Each structure stands twice: as structure tokens, then as C-alpha cells.
Amino acid sequence: MTVSERTQWIEEQTLSPYAALSKNTLGRDVPEQECDLRTPYQRDRDKILHCKSFRRLKHKTQVFLSPEGDHYRTRLTHTLEVSQIARTIARALQLNEDLTEAISLGHDLGHTPFGHAGERALDELCPGGFRHYEQSVRIVEKLEKNGTGLNLTKEVRDGILCHTKGTEAMTLEGRLVRLADRIAYINHDMDDAERAGVLLESDIPADIKSVLGGRRTERIDTLVHSVVENSQDGQIKMDPKVQEAFDRLHSFMFESVYLNPYAKAEEKKVPNLIGTLYSYYLKRPEHFPQDMCLIVEQDGIERAACDYIAGMTDHFAIQLFQDIYVPKSWNI
């Protein structure tokens, strides 16, 4: 028995009947020789962890555009927090941690520079629109590894695609990641808003704090415990009272932070920057990097421009804009 076979045997003996067993995976589009150390879901986790798109998340906005300070969340730290919360719940519910982790690490690979402001800008520009969760799947299926993709299992790709609103994932692990994503971003965005002076802890309505707790760690602990204690019969859910308070906290964050004119003041510059870069590459396809030339040939110049800009970090997009359009001093 190999190490991976032993792991799959342990899964079969210990996991919930509702868990996705790695031995039952629907597989990959392109068959690969199995690893004798890692299960298919463990391999998917490692493929994502080592890909270029994952590394770029460290310089992509979560909520505050290019904030001054070392302690604000980025898209990478958000991803890691989602993974930690999702794995904690998965372990408690005896679900497949490896599948949960792989989906968590890959769920935001397709996010644009400048957070949701960049996503909205590309959505208006790109034929057919732009949605980051679809782009995340496009990255792992095609854009990574010079056009060959990561060749992930169907369960991981499905969990990535369905991590936000709309159709639920086919696995309980995928549905769990959707909830963990929401638990993570609401609480850490609140923490960042307090650090930025946009929000005070005392601003949080008392009736919400009485249910969830006043501090970030208390709220996350309450939410995670509620999921673990109330999920059953293949359903991921919270206590109704906790769920209602959590929904009200989400609405409070939209009113106080996500739509706050002070916190979002710089976002009004994003559509012009994104739109200018998009138009530039439509007119000058010869300026695409080499790895985008194949996309131009296969999917057209508009799709290539969308893919290239979506993959940029905040700093790279700003620097590229400056290099193209801002005059430089001439030195003798």
C-alpha cells in the first residue's frame, strides 16, 4: 500500500458519509499518473500553491487600494484566512480537509488588481462581462503553465467556480468554502476598517455584538462554532439567531465600509486606468508579453487584454500605466 493509498483508506474509515473521498474523484480533463505520496486533492492544493497566479495575490487589493502600512489584508492573506477557517470547520465536521484547502487556496486566483473596483471595470469592458470566479477557473484550466493550465480535478474547479453567489458547489467542501469566505472577509475587512479609522468598534450595533461578540476573534469563534454545532444531514448552516445577526453585520459593513466614500475615494480612478490599459492593448497587440500571444491567436485580442489586465497586481498596473502615459524626465 502506497502512502496515498493509505491516506485514502484513512479517509474512507474516518470521514463523514457526506465527505468527498479522494478515491472517488471525477478526475482531471487530462489523465495523469497518480502520485504515490499524495491524493488527487493534495496534488491540486500543491499545484495551486506553487503557481504564479497564487504568488501575485500578495500584491492585489482586498478592500483598501494600495494602503500605506504593513498590516492591511491583501488578496493573499484573505485567501489564507479563508483556508484556515474552512479547514477548521471541515475537520470538525469530518469533511475532506485536502479538498477544502485546495478550493480555498484557488478561489480568488482570478481577482483583478484594485479589488472589486477592478472587477467592475473589466465587467463593463469585456465582451460577455467579467466575473472573478469564472476567471479563477479560466486560470487553472488554461492560463497557467503557458496555456496548458493546472489540470485540476473537477471537484476543485467546481468549488472555485461556485464559491460565491449563485449555483452551489457539488461537494459539501465547496459549499463550506463559500461560507468560510464570507466569515473571513466580513471580519477581517472590519479589522482593516478600524485600523484605517473608517470604523470604530463602538459603531457596531449593540444587538449584533450581543450575539456575535465585540471583537474579531470572538465573532469568528461564534460563527465557526455555530456552523459546527448546527450543520447536519449534509447541510452547512448556522443557528438561525446567529445567521440573522451575521446577515445584519454584512449589511452594516456595506453601509459603513464597502460603500464608504472616504474608504473608497481612490476607486473612482480605477475605471480610467483599467480602461486606458485595455484600449492600449487592443490597438497594440504586438506589445503583449509572449505568453499572451497564444491567447490572442486562440481567443482573440479582447479576451487576451482582459486576461492580461486581470492578472496584474495593483503595483504592476500602476507602473505600466505610468510607463506608457506619464512623461519621464530626460537625463543628459
Side-chain angles (χ1 to χ4, degrees):
M1 182 180 289
T2 65
V3 173
S4 62
E5 289 171 340
R6 185 178 67 209
T7 301
Q8 290 178 324
W9 179 82
I10 293 172
E11 287 180 359
E12 193 171 12
Q13 300 301 311
T14 61
L15 295 186
S16 162
Y18 300 105
L21 301 182
S22 59
K23 75 169 190 175
N24 295 332
T25 176
L26 296 176
R28 311 176 189 281
D29 287 347
V30 180
E32 295 179 0
Q33 183 176 351
E34 295 299 331
C35 176
D36 60 356
L37 296 179
R38 298 167 298 166
T39 69
Y41 298 149
Q42 290 173 335
R43 291 186 68 194
D44 283 0
R45 172 202 60 202
D46 295 347
K47 287 183 178 193
I48 293 168
L49 189 64
H50 292 285
C51 76
K52 293 186 294 184
S53 300
F54 184 79
R55 294 194 293 275
R56 291 199 299 268
L57 295 177
K58 67 181 177 180
H59 293 305
K60 291 196 175 191
T61 285
Q62 173 59 27
V63 171
F64 297 97
L65 299 188
S66 302
E68 294 295 330
D70 295 331
H71 300 128
Y72 291 95
R73 269 72 170 190
T74 64
R75 192 60 61 178
L76 177 60
T77 55
H78 160 71
T79 294
L80 297 177
E81 291 186 33
V82 172
S83 178
Q84 179 271 319
I85 291 171
R87 285 186 57 202
T88 296
I89 298 173
R91 182 175 299 180
L93 296 179
Q94 295 177 279
L95 299 178
N96 195 312
E97 277 189 70
D98 297 322
L99 174 58
T100 301
E101 184 175 25
I103 296 170
S104 297
L105 294 179
H107 82 281
D108 268 356
L109 292 178
H111 248 299
T112 63
F114 315 116
H116 287 287
E119 182 174 16
R120 289 190 295 270
L122 279 180
D123 187 43
E124 293 185 4
L125 292 168
C126 300
F130 180 91
R131 288 158 288 276
H132 77 273
Y133 46 91
E134 293 176 352
Q135 187 70 11
S136 294
V137 175
R138 180 170 170 80
I139 284 172
V140 301
E141 289 186 342
K142 184 165 188 174
L143 299 182
E144 274 290 339
K145 297 183 68 175
N146 298 316
T148 62
L150 300 181
N151 197 30
L152 304 181
T153 60
K154 183 171 179 59
E155 292 83 3
V156 173
R157 287 179 286 144
D158 173 76
I160 291 172
L161 180 64
C162 300
H163 81 266
T164 185
K165 61 186 178 181
T167 305
E168 284 195 330
M170 65 170 64
T171 64
L172 212 57
E173 288 82 358
R175 295 171 215 164
L176 169 56
V177 171
R178 176 190 287 197
L179 181 56
D181 181 35
R182 195 165 182 243
I183 292 173
Y185 77 70
I186 289 178
N187 283 287
H188 65 51
D189 290 352
M190 183 175 295
D191 189 44
D192 281 353
E194 291 176 10
R195 179 173 290 108
V198 174
L199 185 71
L200 298 176
E201 189 174 289
S202 58
D203 294 332
I204 305 171
D207 58 340
I208 295 178
K209 289 194 287 187
S210 68
V211 176
L212 302 182
R215 294 183 296 112
R216 173 176 55 88
T217 53
E218 291 176 345
R219 291 190 298 270
I220 293 176
D221 188 66
T222 297
L223 293 165
V224 169
H225 271 84
S226 186
V227 174
V228 171
E229 292 164 5
N230 291 275
S231 296
Q232 57 184 341
D233 300 327
Q235 297 292 321
I236 302 292
K237 56 186 179 181
M238 298 180 189
D239 173 81
K241 183 179 179 181
V242 173
Q243 181 69 64
E244 193 269 339
F246 187 44
D247 291 340
R248 283 191 286 116
L249 180 62
H250 188 265
S251 298
F252 168 77
M253 282 295 291
F254 260 93
E255 297 168 3
S256 303
V257 177
Y258 301 138
L259 300 178
N260 184 291
Y262 172 73
K264 298 299 181 178
E266 292 300 302
E267 287 191 0
K268 63 181 181 291
K269 302 175 184 177
V270 171
N272 180 61
L273 187 151
I274 295 290
T276 302
L277 290 178
Y278 185 79
S279 298
Y280 176 83
Y281 283 101
L282 291 188
K283 297 174 183 176
R284 298 173 179 82
E286 68 276 9
H287 290 182
F288 275 115
Q290 186 62 38
D291 60 347
M292 281 290 110
C293 293
L294 181 63
I295 303 300
V296 174
E297 294 175 6
Q298 294 180 342
D299 301 326
I301 188 171
E302 292 176 320
R303 183 70 248 184
C306 182
D307 288 338
Y308 186 43
I309 293 171
M312 295 178 183
T313 64
D314 295 20
H315 298 306
F316 183 85
I318 292 170
Q319 187 61 56
L320 182 62
F321 181 88
Q322 292 176 335
D323 290 343
I324 295 172
Y325 291 105
V326 178
K328 297 179 178 63
S329 299
W330 183 66
N331 295 319
I332 298 177

